[in-house]
Amino acid sequence: MVDARDDRPGSAASVASVRSERRARGFPGQVRDAVSTRSALVMLGVLLLQLGFALSYMGAFHAPEPHRVPITLVAPAAMESDLVARLDGLPGDPLRVTPVESRAQARARLLERRTDAALVVDPASRADTLIVASAGGPSASTAAVEILREVARAQDRTLVVRDIRPPAAGDSRGLSSFYLVLSWTIGGYLAASALNMAAGSKKPTLSRTLVRLAAMLPYGFVSGIGGAIIVGPVLDCLPGAFWELAGIGTLVVFASGAVGVALQSVAGTVGLGLTILIFTILGNPSSGGVYPSSLLPPFWSAIGQALPPGAGTTVVRNTVYFDGNATTGALWVLGAWAFGGVVVAVLAAALRTSRSARETPPARPAAPAV
């Protein structure tokens, strides 16, 4: 009688065989089976992003120091040049002083976002006035107040601070603009990533790329409306300018999404990492939302307003609090990122489609029927 062995899947013999094979491969073999080369590379990329996140945020925020904070000076002609030289010559170069003739000019510069504070010197008294608009960034106003109070104290004078444009009651620390733009930029590139990972959309052909870019427009509009509702009627953080915020949100989300589509079309999964690098790791700490450029280290100060988070924060803040002053440049930056994303995505898809067509052999004609 022949002893037949049952090797059917799930049988005792089959399970024993699998276990024996695993023991033979040992732990290194099991590791190779569980962690492929591709997943190991992805983990390495995630580690680099994680370390970059820590380096960028802590590098920007660990020791904010004022450097050439722009202030405006109103003083009698006889005192003006001496005061400008004294304030510009403070140790560490914390201030950059621009003299003007009148208090009205200083106030206008403040509301036009051309200065962070205005010092009005009154030689007839022992008290000077510092005019600020803390809605433009409380940390910059605070830095100017602290520096000039020290200067006044050294001269046995007092400083009276007048805030002509404070943040809204629901935006007491002036950070709502930053967090709103943060939510829009993250939503934009995550939506682009979702489109890239959707079933049946693995290959970014030209037609699929155009559809993905087109899909970012309604998504951006809904995101803009949703953000405006949250910071307006729901939380009362940034009251007023509802439709302006909705439009800004549409542009910010579309720019973020278009860049996400473009980079993932060019580099696949690596493209998502590059998008996170641009928008989150580099863009957020340099945006001026937490600390303005005058309080950031040189690298972050230089790149902040050239990236979408910084430009978006400036547009939101200045639209809500300063009647849209000093927003033109930031809007151009957002538009350039959106346009650049569209162009790169379309060109990458078109080149891929053209190369694929050249590499595909022509179909052979069918054999004639006999």
Side-chain angles (χ1 to χ4, degrees), residues 220-270:
F221 181 67
V222 173
S223 297
I225 291 286
I229 290 173
I230 290 172
V231 299
V234 175
L235 298 178
D236 201 33
C237 299
L238 301 173
F242 179 89
W243 288 109
E244 290 89 340
L245 287 179
I248 295 166
T250 303
L251 178 57
V252 170
V253 174
F254 182 79
S256 175
V259 172
V261 170
L263 292 179
Q264 290 177 71
S265 178
V266 171
T269 304
V270 175

mmCIF file of all heavy atoms in Angstrom, residues 220-270:
data_model
loop_
_atom_site.group_PDB
_atom_site.id
_atom_site.type_symbol
_atom_site.label_atom_id
_atom_site.label_comp_id
_atom_site.label_asym_id
_atom_site.label_seq_id
_atom_site.Cartn_x
_atom_site.Cartn_y
_atom_site.Cartn_z
ATOM 1 N N GLY A 220 -10.887 73.271 -5.204
ATOM 2 C CA GLY A 220 -10.351 74.491 -4.614
ATOM 3 C C GLY A 220 -11.442 75.474 -4.226
ATOM 4 O O GLY A 220 -11.375 76.114 -3.174
ATOM 5 N N PHE A 221 -12.465 75.596 -5.077
ATOM 6 C CA PHE A 221 -13.556 76.532 -4.777
ATOM 7 C C PHE A 221 -14.321 76.098 -3.526
ATOM 8 O O PHE A 221 -14.614 76.912 -2.647
ATOM 9 C CB PHE A 221 -14.497 76.627 -5.973
ATOM 10 C CG PHE A 221 -15.638 77.588 -5.770
ATOM 11 C CD1 PHE A 221 -15.403 78.940 -5.665
ATOM 12 C CD2 PHE A 221 -16.944 77.124 -5.667
ATOM 13 C CE1 PHE A 221 -16.459 79.836 -5.470
ATOM 14 C CE2 PHE A 221 -17.996 78.000 -5.468
ATOM 15 C CZ PHE A 221 -17.749 79.359 -5.372
ATOM 16 N N VAL A 222 -14.628 74.813 -3.445
ATOM 17 C CA VAL A 222 -15.329 74.308 -2.253
ATOM 18 C C VAL A 222 -14.461 74.489 -1.009
ATOM 19 O O VAL A 222 -14.945 74.851 0.069
ATOM 20 C CB VAL A 222 -15.720 72.828 -2.444
ATOM 21 C CG1 VAL A 222 -16.288 72.245 -1.155
ATOM 22 C CG2 VAL A 222 -16.742 72.697 -3.568
ATOM 23 N N SER A 223 -13.149 74.258 -1.147
ATOM 24 C CA SER A 223 -12.236 74.450 -0.026
ATOM 25 C C SER A 223 -12.200 75.915 0.405
ATOM 26 O O SER A 223 -12.170 76.221 1.606
ATOM 27 C CB SER A 223 -10.824 73.995 -0.401
ATOM 28 O OG SER A 223 -10.790 72.621 -0.696
ATOM 29 N N GLY A 224 -12.178 76.813 -0.573
ATOM 30 C CA GLY A 224 -12.176 78.239 -0.247
ATOM 31 C C GLY A 224 -13.445 78.658 0.480
ATOM 32 O O GLY A 224 -13.388 79.392 1.479
ATOM 33 N N ILE A 225 -14.583 78.183 -0.010
ATOM 34 C CA ILE A 225 -15.863 78.483 0.655
ATOM 35 C C ILE A 225 -15.860 77.908 2.071
ATOM 36 O O ILE A 225 -16.244 78.582 3.048
ATOM 37 C CB ILE A 225 -17.039 77.892 -0.146
ATOM 38 C CG1 ILE A 225 -17.216 78.638 -1.473
ATOM 39 C CG2 ILE A 225 -18.331 77.931 0.667
ATOM 40 C CD1 ILE A 225 -17.821 80.004 -1.347
ATOM 41 N N GLY A 226 -15.419 76.659 2.215
ATOM 42 C CA GLY A 226 -15.412 76.026 3.529
ATOM 43 C C GLY A 226 -14.519 76.756 4.511
ATOM 44 O O GLY A 226 -14.887 76.976 5.675
ATOM 45 N N GLY A 227 -13.326 77.145 4.068
ATOM 46 C CA GLY A 227 -12.428 77.887 4.954
ATOM 47 C C GLY A 227 -13.000 79.230 5.351
ATOM 48 O O GLY A 227 -12.889 79.648 6.517
ATOM 49 N N ALA A 228 -13.614 79.935 4.396
ATOM 50 C CA ALA A 228 -14.208 81.238 4.701
ATOM 51 C C ALA A 228 -15.362 81.109 5.695
ATOM 52 O O ALA A 228 -15.552 81.965 6.562
ATOM 53 C CB ALA A 228 -14.691 81.898 3.407
ATOM 54 N N ILE A 229 -16.124 80.022 5.594
ATOM 55 C CA ILE A 229 -17.216 79.793 6.546
ATOM 56 C C ILE A 229 -16.659 79.540 7.948
ATOM 57 O O ILE A 229 -17.156 80.070 8.947
ATOM 58 C CB ILE A 229 -18.084 78.609 6.091
ATOM 59 C CG1 ILE A 229 -18.880 78.988 4.836
ATOM 60 C CG2 ILE A 229 -19.027 78.163 7.203
ATOM 61 C CD1 ILE A 229 -19.635 77.826 4.219
ATOM 62 N N ILE A 230 -15.597 78.740 8.035
ATOM 63 C CA ILE A 230 -15.036 78.394 9.345
ATOM 64 C C ILE A 230 -14.471 79.628 10.052
ATOM 65 O O ILE A 230 -14.749 79.862 11.234
ATOM 66 C CB ILE A 230 -13.955 77.310 9.188
ATOM 67 C CG1 ILE A 230 -14.613 75.982 8.802
ATOM 68 C CG2 ILE A 230 -13.157 77.140 10.482
ATOM 69 C CD1 ILE A 230 -13.631 74.893 8.425
ATOM 70 N N VAL A 231 -13.667 80.437 9.332
ATOM 71 C CA VAL A 231 -13.037 81.586 9.996
ATOM 72 C C VAL A 231 -13.985 82.774 10.111
ATOM 73 O O VAL A 231 -13.699 83.725 10.851
ATOM 74 C CB VAL A 231 -11.759 82.023 9.257
ATOM 75 C CG1 VAL A 231 -10.736 80.912 9.244
ATOM 76 C CG2 VAL A 231 -12.060 82.502 7.841
ATOM 77 N N GLY A 232 -15.111 82.731 9.390
ATOM 78 C CA GLY A 232 -16.077 83.817 9.466
ATOM 79 C C GLY A 232 -17.243 83.489 10.367
ATOM 80 O O GLY A 232 -17.162 83.650 11.597
ATOM 81 N N PRO A 233 -18.349 83.001 9.814
ATOM 82 C CA PRO A 233 -19.552 82.759 10.621
ATOM 83 C C PRO A 233 -19.369 81.759 11.756
ATOM 84 O O PRO A 233 -19.995 81.908 12.811
ATOM 85 C CB PRO A 233 -20.551 82.223 9.594
ATOM 86 C CG PRO A 233 -20.069 82.708 8.274
ATOM 87 C CD PRO A 233 -18.586 82.757 8.380
ATOM 88 N N VAL A 234 -18.521 80.741 11.591
ATOM 89 C CA VAL A 234 -18.417 79.695 12.614
ATOM 90 C C VAL A 234 -17.588 80.154 13.810
ATOM 91 O O VAL A 234 -18.041 80.105 14.958
ATOM 92 C CB VAL A 234 -17.833 78.405 12.015
ATOM 93 C CG1 VAL A 234 -17.610 77.353 13.111
ATOM 94 C CG2 VAL A 234 -18.770 77.841 10.950
ATOM 95 N N LEU A 235 -16.353 80.596 13.562
ATOM 96 C CA LEU A 235 -15.439 80.937 14.660
ATOM 97 C C LEU A 235 -15.216 82.438 14.846
ATOM 98 O O LEU A 235 -14.652 82.850 15.860
ATOM 99 C CB LEU A 235 -14.079 80.261 14.431
ATOM 100 C CG LEU A 235 -14.091 78.726 14.390
ATOM 101 C CD1 LEU A 235 -12.684 78.197 14.118
ATOM 102 C CD2 LEU A 235 -14.623 78.159 15.707
ATOM 103 N N ASP A 236 -15.600 83.232 13.880
ATOM 104 C CA ASP A 236 -15.419 84.685 13.953
ATOM 105 C C ASP A 236 -13.946 85.051 14.153
ATOM 106 O O ASP A 236 -13.618 85.985 14.882
ATOM 107 C CB ASP A 236 -16.265 85.275 15.084
ATOM 108 C CG ASP A 236 -16.508 86.768 14.883
ATOM 109 O OD1 ASP A 236 -16.609 87.203 13.725
ATOM 110 O OD2 ASP A 236 -16.589 87.501 15.897
ATOM 111 N N CYS A 237 -13.057 84.299 13.492
ATOM 112 C CA CYS A 237 -11.617 84.594 13.576
ATOM 113 C C CYS A 237 -11.234 85.728 12.633
ATOM 114 O O CYS A 237 -10.477 86.634 13.004
ATOM 115 C CB CYS A 237 -10.798 83.366 13.207
ATOM 116 S SG CYS A 237 -11.023 81.938 14.247
ATOM 117 N N LEU A 238 -11.714 85.634 11.400
ATOM 118 C CA LEU A 238 -11.397 86.623 10.372
ATOM 119 C C LEU A 238 -12.700 87.132 9.767
ATOM 120 O O LEU A 238 -13.075 86.764 8.661
ATOM 121 C CB LEU A 238 -10.509 85.994 9.288
ATOM 122 C CG LEU A 238 -9.166 85.421 9.760
ATOM 123 C CD1 LEU A 238 -8.477 84.679 8.627
ATOM 124 C CD2 LEU A 238 -8.266 86.516 10.299
ATOM 125 N N PRO A 239 -13.415 87.960 10.507
ATOM 126 C CA PRO A 239 -14.733 88.401 10.023
ATOM 127 C C PRO A 239 -14.613 89.330 8.821
ATOM 128 O O PRO A 239 -13.633 90.053 8.664
ATOM 129 C CB PRO A 239 -15.309 89.141 11.237
ATOM 130 C CG PRO A 239 -14.112 89.603 12.006
ATOM 131 C CD PRO A 239 -13.066 88.545 11.808
ATOM 132 N N GLY A 240 -15.634 89.303 7.983
ATOM 133 C CA GLY A 240 -15.643 90.135 6.792
ATOM 134 C C GLY A 240 -14.859 89.498 5.662
ATOM 135 O O GLY A 240 -14.188 88.474 5.819
ATOM 136 N N ALA A 241 -14.929 90.102 4.488
ATOM 137 C CA ALA A 241 -14.184 89.666 3.299
ATOM 138 C C ALA A 241 -14.462 88.212 2.965
ATOM 139 O O ALA A 241 -13.565 87.470 2.556
ATOM 140 C CB ALA A 241 -12.687 89.894 3.500
ATOM 141 N N PHE A 242 -15.727 87.774 3.103
ATOM 142 C CA PHE A 242 -16.042 86.356 2.907
ATOM 143 C C PHE A 242 -15.703 85.898 1.503
ATOM 144 O O PHE A 242 -14.981 84.897 1.320
ATOM 145 C CB PHE A 242 -17.528 86.118 3.199
ATOM 146 C CG PHE A 242 -17.957 84.698 2.997
ATOM 147 C CD1 PHE A 242 -17.882 83.778 4.024
ATOM 148 C CD2 PHE A 242 -18.433 84.253 1.760
ATOM 149 C CE1 PHE A 242 -18.263 82.454 3.852
ATOM 150 C CE2 PHE A 242 -18.817 82.939 1.568
ATOM 151 C CZ PHE A 242 -18.738 82.043 2.623
ATOM 152 N N TRP A 243 -16.194 86.583 0.493
ATOM 153 C CA TRP A 243 -15.974 86.121 -0.876
ATOM 154 C C TRP A 243 -14.538 86.343 -1.313
ATOM 155 O O TRP A 243 -14.016 85.583 -2.142
ATOM 156 C CB TRP A 243 -16.949 86.808 -1.828
ATOM 157 C CG TRP A 243 -18.342 86.292 -1.651
ATOM 158 C CD1 TRP A 243 -19.410 86.941 -1.106
ATOM 159 C CD2 TRP A 243 -18.800 84.972 -1.980
ATOM 160 N NE1 TRP A 243 -20.506 86.120 -1.083
ATOM 161 C CE2 TRP A 243 -20.177 84.906 -1.615
ATOM 162 C CE3 TRP A 243 -18.204 83.850 -2.551
ATOM 163 C CZ2 TRP A 243 -20.942 83.758 -1.800
ATOM 164 C CZ3 TRP A 243 -18.967 82.704 -2.740
ATOM 165 C CH2 TRP A 243 -20.327 82.666 -2.371
ATOM 166 N N GLU A 244 -13.889 87.364 -0.772
ATOM 167 C CA GLU A 244 -12.467 87.540 -1.059
ATOM 168 C C GLU A 244 -11.666 86.343 -0.541
ATOM 169 O O GLU A 244 -10.784 85.825 -1.231
ATOM 170 C CB GLU A 244 -11.946 88.829 -0.426
ATOM 171 C CG GLU A 244 -12.458 90.101 -1.076
ATOM 172 C CD GLU A 244 -13.768 90.572 -0.445
ATOM 173 O OE1 GLU A 244 -14.452 89.751 0.206
ATOM 174 O OE2 GLU A 244 -14.089 91.763 -0.620
ATOM 175 N N LEU A 245 -11.990 85.895 0.678
ATOM 176 C CA LEU A 245 -11.310 84.729 1.238
ATOM 177 C C LEU A 245 -11.614 83.468 0.426
ATOM 178 O O LEU A 245 -10.724 82.629 0.214
ATOM 179 C CB LEU A 245 -11.720 84.518 2.693
ATOM 180 C CG LEU A 245 -11.157 85.517 3.711
ATOM 181 C CD1 LEU A 245 -11.675 85.205 5.109
ATOM 182 C CD2 LEU A 245 -9.634 85.508 3.694
ATOM 183 N N ALA A 246 -12.850 83.334 -0.022
ATOM 184 C CA ALA A 246 -13.195 82.174 -0.839
ATOM 185 C C ALA A 246 -12.368 82.150 -2.125
ATOM 186 O O ALA A 246 -11.880 81.098 -2.556
ATOM 187 C CB ALA A 246 -14.686 82.186 -1.161
ATOM 188 N N GLY A 247 -12.197 83.314 -2.743
ATOM 189 C CA GLY A 247 -11.383 83.388 -3.958
ATOM 190 C C GLY A 247 -9.915 83.107 -3.685
ATOM 191 O O GLY A 247 -9.251 82.391 -4.455
ATOM 192 N N ILE A 248 -9.391 83.660 -2.591
ATOM 193 C CA ILE A 248 -7.995 83.408 -2.228
ATOM 194 C C ILE A 248 -7.792 81.918 -1.965
ATOM 195 O O ILE A 248 -6.812 81.317 -2.402
ATOM 196 C CB ILE A 248 -7.597 84.235 -0.990
ATOM 197 C CG1 ILE A 248 -7.653 85.728 -1.314
ATOM 198 C CG2 ILE A 248 -6.201 83.848 -0.505
ATOM 199 C CD1 ILE A 248 -7.598 86.623 -0.092
ATOM 200 N N GLY A 249 -8.731 81.323 -1.246
ATOM 201 C CA GLY A 249 -8.633 79.901 -0.955
ATOM 202 C C GLY A 249 -8.634 79.058 -2.216
ATOM 203 O O GLY A 249 -7.874 78.089 -2.331
ATOM 204 N N THR A 250 -9.472 79.414 -3.183
ATOM 205 C CA THR A 250 -9.499 78.689 -4.456
ATOM 206 C C THR A 250 -8.135 78.725 -5.128
ATOM 207 O O THR A 250 -7.628 77.707 -5.610
ATOM 208 C CB THR A 250 -10.558 79.295 -5.397
ATOM 209 O OG1 THR A 250 -11.841 79.282 -4.756
ATOM 210 C CG2 THR A 250 -10.628 78.527 -6.700
ATOM 211 N N LEU A 251 -7.514 79.915 -5.146
ATOM 212 C CA LEU A 251 -6.204 80.065 -5.787
ATOM 213 C C LEU A 251 -5.125 79.283 -5.033
ATOM 214 O O LEU A 251 -4.299 78.594 -5.646
ATOM 215 C CB LEU A 251 -5.834 81.541 -5.863
ATOM 216 C CG LEU A 251 -4.461 81.874 -6.460
ATOM 217 C CD1 LEU A 251 -4.323 81.291 -7.866
ATOM 218 C CD2 LEU A 251 -4.234 83.386 -6.469
ATOM 219 N N VAL A 252 -5.123 79.380 -3.698
ATOM 220 C CA VAL A 252 -4.100 78.689 -2.899
ATOM 221 C C VAL A 252 -4.218 77.171 -3.084
ATOM 222 O O VAL A 252 -3.225 76.471 -3.310
ATOM 223 C CB VAL A 252 -4.224 79.068 -1.413
ATOM 224 C CG1 VAL A 252 -3.339 78.168 -0.550
ATOM 225 C CG2 VAL A 252 -3.848 80.522 -1.198
ATOM 226 N N VAL A 253 -5.438 76.648 -2.987
ATOM 227 C CA VAL A 253 -5.638 75.196 -3.110
ATOM 228 C C VAL A 253 -5.295 74.727 -4.517
ATOM 229 O O VAL A 253 -4.650 73.682 -4.695
ATOM 230 C CB VAL A 253 -7.092 74.819 -2.751
ATOM 231 C CG1 VAL A 253 -7.347 73.341 -3.028
ATOM 232 C CG2 VAL A 253 -7.373 75.121 -1.283
ATOM 233 N N PHE A 254 -5.707 75.488 -5.525
ATOM 234 C CA PHE A 254 -5.392 75.075 -6.897
ATOM 235 C C PHE A 254 -3.888 75.100 -7.136
ATOM 236 O O PHE A 254 -3.342 74.189 -7.792
ATOM 237 C CB PHE A 254 -6.090 75.979 -7.917
ATOM 238 C CG PHE A 254 -5.826 75.561 -9.332
ATOM 239 C CD1 PHE A 254 -6.504 74.493 -9.895
ATOM 240 C CD2 PHE A 254 -4.874 76.216 -10.105
ATOM 241 C CE1 PHE A 254 -6.242 74.080 -11.198
ATOM 242 C CE2 PHE A 254 -4.606 75.818 -11.399
ATOM 243 C CZ PHE A 254 -5.298 74.749 -11.957
ATOM 244 N N ALA A 255 -3.194 76.128 -6.629
ATOM 245 C CA ALA A 255 -1.737 76.184 -6.796
ATOM 246 C C ALA A 255 -1.076 74.982 -6.140
ATOM 247 O O ALA A 255 -0.206 74.327 -6.730
ATOM 248 C CB ALA A 255 -1.189 77.485 -6.203
ATOM 249 N N SER A 256 -1.484 74.672 -4.912
ATOM 250 C CA SER A 256 -0.932 73.522 -4.211
ATOM 251 C C SER A 256 -1.245 72.220 -4.948
ATOM 252 O O SER A 256 -0.372 71.361 -5.132
ATOM 253 C CB SER A 256 -1.490 73.460 -2.784
ATOM 254 O OG SER A 256 -1.065 72.310 -2.111
ATOM 255 N N GLY A 257 -2.489 72.070 -5.408
ATOM 256 C CA GLY A 257 -2.880 70.864 -6.120
ATOM 257 C C GLY A 257 -2.182 70.732 -7.451
ATOM 258 O O GLY A 257 -1.758 69.629 -7.840
ATOM 259 N N ALA A 258 -2.043 71.835 -8.197
ATOM 260 C CA ALA A 258 -1.384 71.774 -9.506
ATOM 261 C C ALA A 258 0.078 71.380 -9.357
ATOM 262 O O ALA A 258 0.605 70.573 -10.142
ATOM 263 C CB ALA A 258 -1.500 73.123 -10.207
ATOM 264 N N VAL A 259 0.755 71.937 -8.337
ATOM 265 C CA VAL A 259 2.145 71.556 -8.094
ATOM 266 C C VAL A 259 2.221 70.081 -7.696
ATOM 267 O O VAL A 259 3.119 69.346 -8.125
ATOM 268 C CB VAL A 259 2.777 72.451 -7.014
ATOM 269 C CG1 VAL A 259 4.150 71.937 -6.611
ATOM 270 C CG2 VAL A 259 2.893 73.882 -7.519
ATOM 271 N N GLY A 260 1.261 69.635 -6.882
ATOM 272 C CA GLY A 260 1.238 68.222 -6.497
ATOM 273 C C GLY A 260 1.041 67.307 -7.692
ATOM 274 O O GLY A 260 1.728 66.286 -7.824
ATOM 275 N N VAL A 261 0.119 67.649 -8.576
ATOM 276 C CA VAL A 261 -0.103 66.853 -9.788
ATOM 277 C C VAL A 261 1.160 66.839 -10.639
ATOM 278 O O VAL A 261 1.577 65.795 -11.165
ATOM 279 C CB VAL A 261 -1.292 67.414 -10.595
ATOM 280 C CG1 VAL A 261 -1.378 66.747 -11.966
ATOM 281 C CG2 VAL A 261 -2.600 67.203 -9.840
ATOM 282 N N ALA A 262 1.805 68.011 -10.780
ATOM 283 C CA ALA A 262 2.994 68.107 -11.624
ATOM 284 C C ALA A 262 4.141 67.262 -11.082
ATOM 285 O O ALA A 262 4.755 66.483 -11.815
ATOM 286 C CB ALA A 262 3.425 69.570 -11.741
ATOM 287 N N LEU A 263 4.444 67.416 -9.797
ATOM 288 C CA LEU A 263 5.597 66.710 -9.236
ATOM 289 C C LEU A 263 5.364 65.202 -9.197
ATOM 290 O O LEU A 263 6.297 64.415 -9.406
ATOM 291 C CB LEU A 263 5.911 67.244 -7.845
ATOM 292 C CG LEU A 263 6.444 68.682 -7.806
ATOM 293 C CD1 LEU A 263 6.698 69.132 -6.374
ATOM 294 C CD2 LEU A 263 7.716 68.818 -8.633
ATOM 295 N N GLN A 264 4.119 64.772 -8.929
ATOM 296 C CA GLN A 264 3.848 63.339 -8.938
ATOM 297 C C GLN A 264 3.813 62.785 -10.361
ATOM 298 O O GLN A 264 4.115 61.609 -10.580
ATOM 299 C CB GLN A 264 2.538 63.060 -8.209
ATOM 300 C CG GLN A 264 2.653 63.298 -6.703
ATOM 301 C CD GLN A 264 1.353 63.100 -5.970
ATOM 302 O OE1 GLN A 264 0.880 61.979 -5.829
ATOM 303 N NE2 GLN A 264 0.759 64.187 -5.507
ATOM 304 N N SER A 265 3.463 63.627 -11.319
ATOM 305 C CA SER A 265 3.525 63.196 -12.713
ATOM 306 C C SER A 265 4.966 63.000 -13.159
ATOM 307 O O SER A 265 5.275 62.086 -13.914
ATOM 308 C CB SER A 265 2.838 64.230 -13.615
ATOM 309 O OG SER A 265 2.919 63.870 -14.975
ATOM 310 N N VAL A 266 5.862 63.848 -12.646
ATOM 311 C CA VAL A 266 7.270 63.766 -13.028
ATOM 312 C C VAL A 266 8.003 62.678 -12.252
ATOM 313 O O VAL A 266 8.784 61.910 -12.811
ATOM 314 C CB VAL A 266 7.961 65.131 -12.804
ATOM 315 C CG1 VAL A 266 9.468 65.003 -12.980
ATOM 316 C CG2 VAL A 266 7.403 66.169 -13.754
ATOM 317 N N ALA A 267 7.745 62.601 -10.925
ATOM 318 C CA ALA A 267 8.578 61.753 -10.072
ATOM 319 C C ALA A 267 7.816 60.701 -9.288
ATOM 320 O O ALA A 267 8.391 60.045 -8.425
ATOM 321 C CB ALA A 267 9.371 62.635 -9.102
ATOM 322 N N GLY A 268 6.525 60.519 -9.535
ATOM 323 C CA GLY A 268 5.770 59.485 -8.836
ATOM 324 C C GLY A 268 5.684 59.742 -7.344
ATOM 325 O O GLY A 268 5.430 60.871 -6.908
ATOM 326 N N THR A 269 5.912 58.695 -6.542
ATOM 327 C CA THR A 269 5.823 58.823 -5.089
ATOM 328 C C THR A 269 6.805 59.849 -4.556
ATOM 329 O O THR A 269 6.503 60.578 -3.606
ATOM 330 C CB THR A 269 6.090 57.456 -4.427
ATOM 331 O OG1 THR A 269 5.167 56.495 -4.945
ATOM 332 C CG2 THR A 269 5.933 57.542 -2.924
ATOM 333 N N VAL A 270 7.979 59.939 -5.160
ATOM 334 C CA VAL A 270 8.965 60.937 -4.744
ATOM 335 C C VAL A 270 8.398 62.350 -4.906
ATOM 336 O O VAL A 270 8.714 63.261 -4.131
ATOM 337 C CB VAL A 270 10.269 60.770 -5.548
ATOM 338 C CG1 VAL A 270 11.265 61.880 -5.214
ATOM 339 C CG2 VAL A 270 10.884 59.413 -5.267
#
